[in-house]
Amino acid sequence: MELSVTLAVDASPLEIWPYFVDFEKRRLWERDLEKLTYHDAVAEGVTGKMKLTGMPAMDFIVARSIPGESFWDRTEIPGGSLLFMHDLTQIDEVTHLTQAVRLEKPDFTSDDVIFLTGVFSDTPAAAWRLKELVEP
């Protein structure tokens, strides 16, 4: 199950990329991010830890890392995992920023819809903040 938002952004993918992986830049648009550390250089398979306001620190693994294109991180939760996806695509010289959250588990219930909606709830506003940060 997945929820996403896509915005056109007046910046190149490589201008946006550091805002996905650098803590100081990421916390400018992801306001509830208190801490973000990687256990090695940012690359697929690298693990890390993030802390969001009001929540315990969470371990994650970088599930995809293609500079200027995609940054995905996966966090294990009871019964499944959450995949946070940040993708950049260029169509006719316009950059499209897609922020998505996917709940991965074998079976879904109506409670999962409520849970995922809550996890996703601030994503559209965060994507808009990122857009405002990188545009001239």
Side-chain angles (χ1 to χ4, degrees):
M1 185 181 320
E2 179 177 314
L3 297 173
S4 68
V5 61
T6 300
L7 301 172
V9 180
D10 186 16
S12 75
L14 289 176
E15 290 171 316
I16 299 168
W17 176 257
Y19 288 85
F20 293 161
V21 297
D22 178 271
F23 170 66
E24 293 301 327
K25 290 185 183 298
R26 187 160 170 174
R27 66 190 283 196
L28 295 172
W29 60 272
E30 193 171 347
R31 292 188 177 154
D32 60 347
L33 184 64
E34 294 180 0
K35 184 176 181 180
L36 175 66
T37 57
Y38 302 96
H39 298 134
D40 205 341
V42 176
E44 193 169 315
V46 168
T47 59
K49 190 174 285 278
M50 75 170 57
K51 168 85 174 72
L52 302 174
T53 304
M55 298 184 69
M58 299 174 283
D59 293 321
F60 68 88
I61 186 167
V62 176
R64 184 173 186 180
S65 179
I66 303 171
E69 186 177 318
S70 294
F71 181 78
W72 299 2
D73 60 88
R74 176 176 282 110
T75 300
E76 297 300 321
I77 60 171
S81 64
L82 284 169
L83 184 62
F84 297 90
M85 300 172 287
H86 314 277
D87 292 307
L88 301 164
T89 54
Q90 272 202 293
I91 302 169
D92 298 328
E93 298 185 30
V94 174
T95 301
H96 295 270
L97 163 68
T98 300
Q99 304 271 32
V101 182
R102 181 184 298 159
L103 177 60
E104 300 176 324
K105 58 186 289 192
D107 298 303
F108 295 101
T109 67
S110 60
D111 288 341
D112 294 323
V113 174
I114 295 166
F115 171 72
L116 185 59
T117 300
V119 171
F120 181 77
S121 65
D122 67 338
T123 302
W128 191 262
R129 282 192 295 274
L130 176 53
K131 172 184 170 69
E132 289 180 327
L133 283 167
V134 299
E135 288 187 334

